[in-house]
Amino acid sequence: MSAPVLIACGFGINSDEELAEAFRQAGADPSRIHLTDLLAEPGMLARFRILAFPGGFSFGDHLGSGMVLANLLRRRLRPEIEAFLADGGLAIGICNGFQVLAKTGILTNLRGGWEREITLVHNEKPGYVDDWVRVRVEPECPCVWTKGLSTLDLPVRHGEGRFTARDPGTLARLESERLVALRYEGRNPNGSANGIAGVCDRTGRVLGLMPHPEAFLIPDNHPDRRRRPPRETGLEIFRNAVARS
Amino acid sequence: MRIEIFFTDPALDGPGSGISEKLSRALGRDLRVRVVEVILPGVPVPRPVAEEAFSDPVVQRVTLDEPAAALLPGWSALVETAWRPGVTDTLALTAREALAICGGPPESESAGLRTARQYLLYGDAGRPEAEEAARLLHNPLIQEARILTVEDWAAGLRPPASYPGVSVHDRPDWETFDLESLSDTELEALSRDRLLALTLPELRALRDHFADPRTVEARRSAGLPAEATDVELEMVAQTWSEHCKHKIFNAEIEYSETDGAGRPSGAPETIRSLFKTYIRGLTEELAPSKDFLRSVFTDNAGVVQFRPGWALCVKAETHNSPSALDPYGGAITGIVGVNRDILGTGMGAKPIFNTDVLCFAPPDTPEGEVPEGLLHPREVLEGVHKGIVDGGNQSGIPTVAGTFLFDESFLGKPLVFCGTGGILPETVNGKPAWEKTVSPGDRAVMLGGRIGKDGIHGATFSSLALDEGSPASAVQIGDPIIQRRMTDFLLEARDRGLYAGITDNGAGGLSSSLGEMAQSSGGVRIDLDACPLKYPGLSPWEILVSESQERMSLAVPPDRIDDFLALAARRGVEATVVGEFTDSGNVEIRSGGRTAGLLSLDFLHDGLPPLRLSARWSPVSLPSDPLPAREDWTETLYRILAEPNSASKEPWVREYDHEVQGRSVEKPFTGVHRDAPSDGAVLKPRYDDGAGITVTHGICPRLSDYDAGLMAACAVDEAYRAHVALGGDPDRAAALDNFCWPDPLPSPGNPDAERKLAQLVRACRGLADACRAYGLPLVSGKDSMKNDAVAGGRRISVRPTLLVTLTGFVGDVRKVPSTDFPGPGLLVYLLGRTEGALGLSLLERVEGLRFGDPPGIDTAAAVPLYRALARGISGRLVLSCHDLSDGGLAAAAAESCLGGRVGADLVLDALPGAEAAEPVRILFSECPSRLLVSVRAADRERFERSFSGLPHRLLGTTTAEPRLRFRHAGREVLSAALDGLESAYKTPIAGRRYP
């Protein structure tokens, strides 16, 4: 049976359709669920195996990217999300979804209790940027989403993607516990600490990343599609999750 | 209570560092800026709630009634900006939601919440610098700014504890006007004072209507006074505005020509409606052979079939006047506005791409040349660009194509063309999705934002020239997030069959949207008392015509209304029944429990007296300087590539999200380092098959100096050629026409109106002729006919401009070529004849000289060439393809080399059409209908056979050596290293540099 995936939508989230397509192509069974429906019936989360927060501008990113949605989750859905994760569920946050996971404290949750340890601030060179980057997958990271991958070309599309840890100790711990899943190779598009493009929690089942694997599902999405389209597309990340969910 | 939020580490204060850069550049001194966000909640907020709701504890700090400025010492001045009363404050709306989420006051108690922003200026900044900074940090039309120097602070001065809200008066009732008692002069004064923008014949028609005994009788039985109410005057003015009725395009025009010596040439001609004759006429002529047309010219946007089961709709609009006054708000409102056109097409389509074509005066225009009262073009460019970044990106709609164009004639009004395409299933709930039927008894529902004083008179305002007295209330700021939430809801409601008809609330507000939908059922009753308002105190007429943003109007059948309202409530989108559709033949408006207006649909939509105009054309011959005599044209090419019209826009365009929704194939930039310009965009609308669409443009206003007919034909050619160059099917494409003209109506201040109208006639003919040649139907369009500004005693009018936006079909996106040469050792061909005329070219601009008339166009000759090219692409013979435009062959070759990071060795001898021309003509002529392609050496014979009998010429080959060379008659005439080409092409525009 294919894995049921809950893809959050509404409130200014806007990459939900292509994320659903990515999971579908990876063999999962995605449902786009409006957050007002999830809030009305939080118990429905237990029916899913994967929880996904897509990119977008939830609540306009007013007051800080992802912040209002993060507060909504902390205030209204925390017990259900904790139970879902404790039960072995997988979660992913992409771009705005990563900002949300960081600002809830679900990532990186080193100390438990959804303490806020990391965040994503404005790019070092101010302004939004849409460009492609190469990311290196950290081989020793326990992340189930990136297992077995080496490098990926992916688009980044954000104005607030600069990975920042609360303090040097937190950053050191993320590194020593191998929780950095993806790192920018070559050009760091936003000034992220240690070139971090994505991190997971200690279970390896929750991944947050700034690049958009769901926008690279076919070789023709790649900007250099006519010369040397890479072998691996963003789809691999979703296939990994579906295989391990 | 004042809540302030700031980043504890200045290195992470992104907004501050962006503004530091901008201010340091503008003020010519090193200033560092820290930004403090200010929230004035208007209700008590406990500290833990404020901290949770408003700050990121990892990097930010919140203070309550403790000035951040005191905690961040060392600044020399501070500037605090806040929105003026009534201007949309999107941050405030979210802040209220955030407070409610975090256990603070509910939204019902925080309606008075206001936001402000404080800029702390560090470095050498006294009051004069702070004033200059404040000027750059706010727009006084919509914001106020306060300045405090560090001395002021020491003296105990502080920013205000609160900012004024909209002052609420008692709700004014409607007034009446006895039109019959008014003389013509008094009628005109009434139109002027109330900004009705009606002409004398129109005012007379209005006066006659109210004097008509049938009108008198109908009014008596409805309990209305015989005099016209202001509600009625405003409704008629909106409906009859140039913006809504396109009076000039429907006018009866007497067109005559004289020859160069002023003698009449040929008999005068009478054209009954340019629109019907040339635009709709053309499409009707082509329709039998275009089976993909679904709905043209009738709805908000043209609808075509994309593939069985799916339709595509496209629309482009301009938002010029608002963008001149408030570039940021004008642009953002332009985008979300045209998005709503797509949402309101048929039963509602999902927007899948945006386009933006922006025309400004050159960003390096000397300050002294900008008339008093107008913004500097650099500020207009920056504001419009930021509006597009925020408007498009936050809506989740990719900005896939467009351009920036710089020309002195856009100093008075910029042209801001915003386009959108959407997809919709061919059938919705078993009915064709492009049809909507509104029935008597359907509820008239207003959805989305509430009504305020913002955007009153946008439709009539855009029908006037811009002057110092232009009203601030005509400016609005769209909120893409509110609209996004509404969009999600609408598409859900559509698929559940919860409504019967939909249209957007754009120009003219409810008066236009409900007035239009009423034509389907045969009438409507509008209850102004039911309309949800942002604040009390609006007059009935203001409620009717306000263009407050993020609103749609719908017709909901009585048996679906409960479900519709329940779903809206669940999704957090405001929906209100504001009336009912009828078959009474009238628009009936109620206010204060009684009838405030009664207008028959016949009068409203057909009572407008046709305009009669005359147009006079005489040909021009442009001045001609001697051509520069040079042995080597390398430096000339560098100067052309560095000219803002052809220099790279990448630092600006990379701020647009062009890939959200995951449909992107051909992107704005291409090549090894993704930095060479593409000819347009290719998208894959559906994830489940390989078919694509092209999105391309054509625009060449400079040619209007010679002949607007040539200008229009070249715009069509440019858009269609790019479509073919991107692998598009030559038989399956559709176009939009957007005219932006200087006022062609005669008045004392506008002595050459007849010539401007003649240019319009010729443009329509040029458009129709070129579209006919290419088999390109027009499916929608729009015109903006008052692109003049009167400022500082000068009248500045735009060059007559037609934008052609094209979308067409691509069978298989895997075959789409890019503009860059894919490698060394490939054959390079020029396709098309070269006419070496240099008039109105970019070469003229960089030389500061005039080179006579521009090259002409031969669309009939281009047709077989484009078809052969389409076959070559489909057969994978063509590896790269780039259209020739600004800067001609030399610029196109430079871009193709740069993209592929290869050189090329090219020979200019014996080019078809230019066998005897000097090298400068061959290199830089902007003769239309030409392309540069690369082909494998092994395919030479096949390729040449496929172009036999058509103008083509092998120029040479691409090389591994990174150098572009041109030779002519055995002599090298241009030799440029790729590095040199790259640095010329990447010359910053308005100081914006590459990362």
Side-chain angles (χ1 to χ4, degrees):
Chain A
M1 207 187 80
S2 55
V5 184
L6 187 155
I7 295 174
C9 68
F11 293 127
I13 288 173
N14 61 32
S15 293
D16 46 300
E17 202 185 350
E18 59 266 40
L19 187 54
E21 178 63 20
F23 276 109
R24 195 173 300 118
Q25 289 188 18
D29 175 20
S31 303
R32 288 156 60 211
I33 303 288
H34 201 287
L35 281 162
T36 55
D37 288 338
L38 183 59
L39 289 168
E41 193 201 325
M44 75 161 79
L45 185 54
R47 300 204 302 268
F48 294 90
R49 295 304 299 152
I50 300 176
L51 171 61
F53 291 100
F57 284 81
S58 56
F59 294 92
D61 280 358
H62 305 142
L63 304 165
S65 59
M67 219 169 69
V68 180
L69 180 51
N71 279 328
L72 191 63
L73 299 182
R74 286 174 67 92
R75 283 269 176 176
R76 305 269 304 273
L77 290 169
R78 184 164 171 172
E80 289 77 12
I81 294 176
E82 282 179 329
F84 170 85
L85 294 174
D87 197 33
L90 269 55
I92 189 168
I94 299 169
C95 197
N96 195 237
F98 182 20
Q99 292 159 344
V100 169
L101 291 181
K103 291 175 190 194
T104 52
I106 295 172
L107 283 176
T108 41
N109 210 20
L110 288 172
R111 298 162 181 86
W114 289 21
E115 226 176 277
R116 261 77 61 96
E117 296 161 335
I118 60 165
T119 190
L120 295 136
V121 298
H122 297 88
N123 299 349
E124 191 172 28
K125 178 185 180 295
Y128 192 96
V129 63
D130 177 337
D131 201 356
W132 281 61
V133 294
R134 180 155 293 170
V135 290
R136 184 173 75 239
V137 175
E138 291 295 344
E140 288 171 48
C141 177
C143 181
V144 302
W145 295 83
T146 55
K147 266 277 167 294
L149 303 176
S150 52
T151 61
L152 285 169
D153 285 0
L154 296 172
V156 286
R157 310 193 307 254
H158 59 248
E160 297 180 43
R162 184 179 183 184
F163 183 90
T164 305
R166 188 170 66 183
D167 47 56
T170 302
L171 186 61
R173 237 182 111 184
L174 289 175
E175 294 287 2
S176 66
E177 295 196 26
R178 308 277 182 220
L179 300 185
V180 176
L182 301 162
R183 232 183 276 274
Y184 299 111
E185 195 170 275
R187 201 168 57 86
N188 179 339
N190 49 34
S192 285
N194 294 3
I196 293 172
V199 291
C200 67
D201 71 347
R202 300 170 82 178
T203 68
R205 294 197 303 267
V206 183
L207 171 67
L209 72 169
M210 287 312 297
H212 287 272
E214 82 288 0
F216 183 27
L217 300 181
I218 54 166
D220 281 297
N221 291 142
H222 193 278
D224 210 6
R225 63 199 162 79
R226 295 174 315 129
R227 223 171 252 105
R228 42 185 162 77
R231 200 169 37 87
E232 286 169 336
T233 67
L235 197 52
E236 304 302 331
I237 287 184
F238 305 102
R239 288 198 176 123
N240 264 337
V242 172
R244 285 165 177 79
S245 64
Chain B
M1 176 179 228
R2 254 178 101 89
I3 301 173
E4 299 188 347
I5 307 126
F6 59 92
F7 284 89
T8 45
D9 178 356
L12 299 180
D13 180 359
S17 49
I19 289 156
S20 302
E21 221 174 82
K22 177 179 161 142
L23 291 187
S24 299
R25 197 169 58 228
L27 273 66
R29 59 179 65 198
D30 192 28
L31 283 182
R32 280 175 308 107
V33 179
R34 291 191 73 172
V35 168
V36 178
E37 301 292 350
V38 181
I39 292 172
L40 303 150
V43 278
V45 175
R47 172 175 292 276
V49 173
E51 286 181 344
E52 181 182 348
F54 299 141
S55 81
D56 179 343
V58 178
V59 288
Q60 286 177 319
R61 186 173 158 194
V62 173
T63 65
L64 276 71
D65 289 327
E66 180 188 11
L71 301 172
L72 304 170
W75 50 271
S76 40
L78 75 75
V79 176
E80 186 166 299
T81 61
W83 301 108
R84 288 195 183 279
V87 175
T88 309
D89 181 351
T90 54
L91 180 57
L93 295 175
T94 309
R96 291 168 59 198
E97 260 182 302
L99 281 178
I101 288 168
C102 297
E107 287 178 68
S108 55
E109 289 172 21
S110 60
L113 185 144
R114 303 289 304 272
T115 71
R117 202 175 208 207
Q118 206 174 81
Y119 303 88
L120 302 175
L121 309 184
Y122 296 81
D124 183 15
R127 179 162 287 277
E129 289 73 26
E131 277 172 2
E132 179 59 12
R135 197 186 65 75
L136 293 164
L137 290 170
H138 86 296
N139 180 342
L141 273 181
I142 50 172
Q143 288 165 300
E144 59 177 302
R146 318 242 170 161
I147 296 168
L148 290 181
T149 61
V150 72
E151 292 80 26
D152 295 336
W153 189 273
L157 296 180
R158 295 290 179 269
S162 67
Y163 283 92
V166 176
S167 54
V168 173
H169 306 289
D170 285 341
R171 176 177 156 151
D173 207 349
W174 40 272
E175 298 174 64
T176 56
F177 295 87
D178 184 3
L179 301 182
E180 261 188 283
S181 72
L182 299 183
S183 68
D184 284 357
T185 321
E186 287 167 329
L187 279 176
E188 284 182 306
L190 175 68
S191 171
R192 209 168 34 246
D193 294 347
R194 292 198 63 106
L195 212 67
L196 301 178
L198 294 173
T199 63
L200 188 58
E202 290 159 2
L203 291 160
R204 285 183 186 141
L206 193 58
R207 186 172 57 191
D208 294 348
H209 173 74
F210 280 92
D212 187 319
R214 282 166 302 179
T215 311
V216 173
E217 177 47 36
R219 299 179 72 77
R220 184 176 312 129
S221 53
L224 267 169
E227 299 86 27
T229 68
D230 54 3
V231 174
E232 292 169 322
L233 289 183
E234 292 284 347
M235 176 140 193
V236 170
Q238 300 304 315
T239 311
W240 287 6
S241 67
E242 179 58 47
H243 190 100
C244 296
K245 270 284 181 233
H246 314 289
K247 292 181 273 201
I248 295 168
F249 265 83
N250 286 309
E252 188 177 303
I253 296 172
E254 185 94 350
Y255 174 84
S256 60
E257 289 186 15
T258 52
D259 64 15
R263 287 182 297 265
S265 59
E269 244 183 283
T270 303
I271 301 154
R272 291 185 221 302
S273 172
L274 288 169
F275 171 69
K276 286 178 192 148
T277 308
Y278 295 111
I279 296 172
R280 202 174 71 194
L282 177 269
T283 300
E284 282 167 357
E285 191 182 323
L286 293 176
S289 62
K290 301 289 166 187
D291 60 0
F292 54 87
L293 298 179
R294 287 294 173 271
S295 161
V296 292
F297 299 118
T298 49
D299 206 336
N300 288 340
V303 184
V304 294
Q305 186 196 49
F306 160 61
R307 61 160 217 199
W310 289 91
L312 187 71
C313 54
V314 277
K315 175 64 176 273
E317 292 215 307
T318 50
H319 225 229
N320 308 336
S321 302
S323 301
L325 294 175
D326 173 24
Y328 176 77
I332 205 168
T333 307
I335 292 175
V336 295
V338 73
N339 291 164
R340 280 198 304 279
D341 269 314
I342 294 302
L343 270 179
T345 295
M347 289 300 281
K350 176 188 166 74
I352 62 165
F353 68 83
N354 283 335
T355 65
D356 292 288
V357 173
L358 311 174
C359 303
F360 306 109
D364 58 355
T365 302
E367 303 284 340
E369 285 180 22
V370 181
E372 189 72 21
L374 296 179
L375 294 173
H376 190 280
R378 194 178 47 245
E379 288 172 50
V380 181
L381 161 65
E382 283 176 356
V384 166
H385 173 259
K386 188 165 190 304
I388 288 168
V389 169
D390 287 354
N393 294 1
Q394 294 185 17
S395 303
I397 303 166
T399 300
V400 301
T403 191
F404 291 68
L405 199 145
F406 299 102
D407 181 285
E408 293 69 20
S409 75
F410 303 123
L411 186 60
K413 271 193 194 180
L415 301 185
V416 176
F417 296 93
C418 299
T420 300
I423 47 172
L424 71 167
E426 279 203 288
T427 52
V428 167
N429 301 303
K431 289 184 220 146
W434 55 87
E435 287 172 8
K436 40 195 166 196
T437 314
V438 179
S439 310
D442 284 356
R443 304 294 186 258
V445 175
M446 184 183 110
L447 185 74
R450 297 181 149 229
I451 299 175
K453 290 194 184 232
D454 43 341
I456 285 178
H457 279 154
T460 48
F461 161 61
S462 72
S463 306
L464 296 168
L466 198 59
D467 63 32
E468 291 91 341
S470 297
S473 66
V475 174
Q476 317 139 68
I477 302 177
D479 182 346
I481 295 306
I482 301 277
Q483 184 153 309
R484 174 78 205 190
R485 288 159 78 159
M486 181 173 78
T487 303
D488 289 344
F489 160 73
L490 271 177
L491 294 174
E492 193 178 350
R494 176 194 75 184
D495 293 339
R496 293 193 188 184
L498 296 184
Y499 57 83
I502 180 168
T503 197
D504 69 305
N505 269 295
L510 288 177
S511 85
S512 293
S513 63
L514 296 178
E516 270 168 40
M517 288 170 89
Q519 289 179 282
S520 174
S521 65
V524 68
R525 191 174 60 245
I526 306 170
D527 184 2
L528 298 179
D529 301 331
C531 294
L533 306 180
K534 290 184 181 177
Y535 34 79
L538 270 71
S539 303
W541 71 266
E542 290 178 310
I543 299 172
L544 188 65
V545 305
S546 163
E547 294 169 13
S548 288
Q549 289 290 297
E550 291 85 42
R551 292 184 299 142
M552 301 291 288
S553 288
L554 293 100
V556 180
D559 61 337
R560 313 314 308 262
I561 188 72
D562 292 345
D563 289 347
F564 181 92
L565 295 175
L567 183 65
R570 183 168 182 128
R571 296 292 177 246
V573 179
E574 188 159 359
T576 313
V577 176
V578 298
E580 191 173 314
F581 291 96
T582 65
D583 54 5
S584 68
N586 294 319
V587 176
E588 185 190 344
I589 301 152
R590 295 184 62 81
S591 172
R594 55 197 175 124
T595 305
L598 184 70
L599 292 163
S600 76
L601 283 174
D602 290 345
F603 173 69
L604 204 51
H605 293 290
D606 303 317
L608 177 68
L611 212 50
R612 287 198 174 77
L613 298 169
S614 83
R616 275 172 211 278
W617 172 251
S618 58
V620 291
S621 185
L622 297 175
S624 200
D625 297 314
L627 281 175
R630 281 175 207 145
E631 297 286 304
D632 182 278
W633 297 96
T634 311
E635 281 300 320
T636 314
L637 174 58
Y638 289 157
R639 280 191 288 138
I640 283 179
L641 291 175
E643 208 278 340
N645 281 293
S646 59
S648 175
K649 318 298 184 291
E650 190 179 348
W652 299 84
V653 171
R654 287 252 173 246
E655 290 197 30
Y656 302 159
D657 188 334
H658 55 261
E659 295 180 278
V660 63
Q661 301 192 12
R663 306 179 202 274
S664 161
V665 176
E666 185 66 3
K667 303 174 203 301
F669 295 96
T670 180
V672 180
H673 295 299
R674 306 178 305 283
D675 56 358
S678 299
D679 287 346
V682 175
L683 314 179
K684 215 163 69 70
R686 295 283 306 163
Y687 301 117
D688 57 1
D689 74 7
I693 57 167
T694 57
V695 183
T696 67
H697 290 108
I699 182 168
C700 13
R702 281 197 304 270
L703 295 179
S704 287
D705 283 11
Y706 179 71
D707 181 3
L710 178 67
M711 179 277 293
C714 286
V716 174
D717 181 64
E718 192 175 307
Y720 183 73
R721 178 161 34 117
H723 162 69
V724 178
L726 289 165
D729 181 338
D731 291 316
R732 293 175 67 81
L736 312 176
D737 55 276
N738 283 82
F739 289 84
C740 282
W741 233 250
D743 190 358
L745 296 183
S747 71
N750 191 24
D752 56 348
E754 290 186 334
R755 180 171 182 83
K756 291 169 186 165
L757 189 65
Q759 288 177 307
L760 186 65
V761 172
R762 297 181 68 82
C764 287
R765 288 178 178 171
L767 168 68
D769 289 347
C771 285
R772 186 177 299 109
Y774 296 143
L776 183 64
L778 296 163
V779 293
S780 186
K782 201 94 196 206
D783 56 273
S784 162
M785 304 305 289
K786 304 285 161 106
N787 292 290
D788 311 87
V790 183
R794 273 167 74 192
R795 184 182 184 92
I796 306 174
S797 300
V798 302
R799 286 198 154 86
T801 303
L802 168 68
L803 170 70
V804 174
T805 304
L806 179 149
T807 182
F809 307 104
V810 176
D812 181 352
V813 297
R814 288 170 305 177
K815 294 179 178 175
V816 171
S818 294
T819 59
D820 54 301
F821 292 138
L826 302 171
L827 305 181
V828 177
Y829 285 88
L830 177 67
L831 308 180
R833 279 178 71 84
T834 299
E835 184 192 333
L838 287 169
L840 304 174
S841 64
L842 218 47
L843 181 71
E844 273 193 348
R845 265 181 98 83
V846 302
E847 298 290 339
L849 297 171
R850 304 297 304 272
F851 300 132
D853 296 346
I857 186 168
D858 183 350
T859 49
V863 171
L865 187 78
Y866 294 167
R867 291 189 169 272
L869 174 63
R871 285 191 298 274
I873 291 171
S874 155
R876 296 191 193 256
L877 276 175
V878 173
L879 300 183
S880 74
C881 185
H882 192 8
D883 64 357
L884 269 56
S885 61
D886 282 352
L889 172 60
E895 289 165 353
S896 293
C897 285
L898 253 185
R901 290 301 191 276
V902 294
D905 216 335
L906 308 176
V907 175
L908 300 175
D909 300 336
L911 255 54
E915 291 82 354
E918 304 95 311
V920 60
R921 296 186 181 277
I922 303 171
L923 287 168
F924 302 118
S925 166
E926 293 170 12
C927 171
S929 312
R930 297 181 304 155
L931 302 111
L932 189 68
V933 301
S934 64
V935 176
R936 274 180 223 91
D939 289 332
R940 176 172 181 170
E941 203 180 321
R942 265 177 74 207
F943 180 81
E944 290 185 358
R945 202 166 46 238
S946 69
F947 280 84
S948 85
L950 298 169
H952 69 285
R953 173 78 187 164
L954 175 63
L955 300 180
T957 57
T958 58
T959 60
E961 186 199 354
R963 180 168 287 276
L964 170 63
R965 280 199 182 86
F966 283 104
R967 274 190 279 248
H968 183 257
R971 199 173 55 78
E972 191 170 87
V973 293
L974 189 156
S975 171
L978 277 195
D979 289 351
L981 294 173
E982 180 175 354
S983 61
Y985 171 65
K986 294 187 178 178
T987 299
I989 294 172
R992 189 165 297 215
R993 294 185 175 282
Y994 265 75

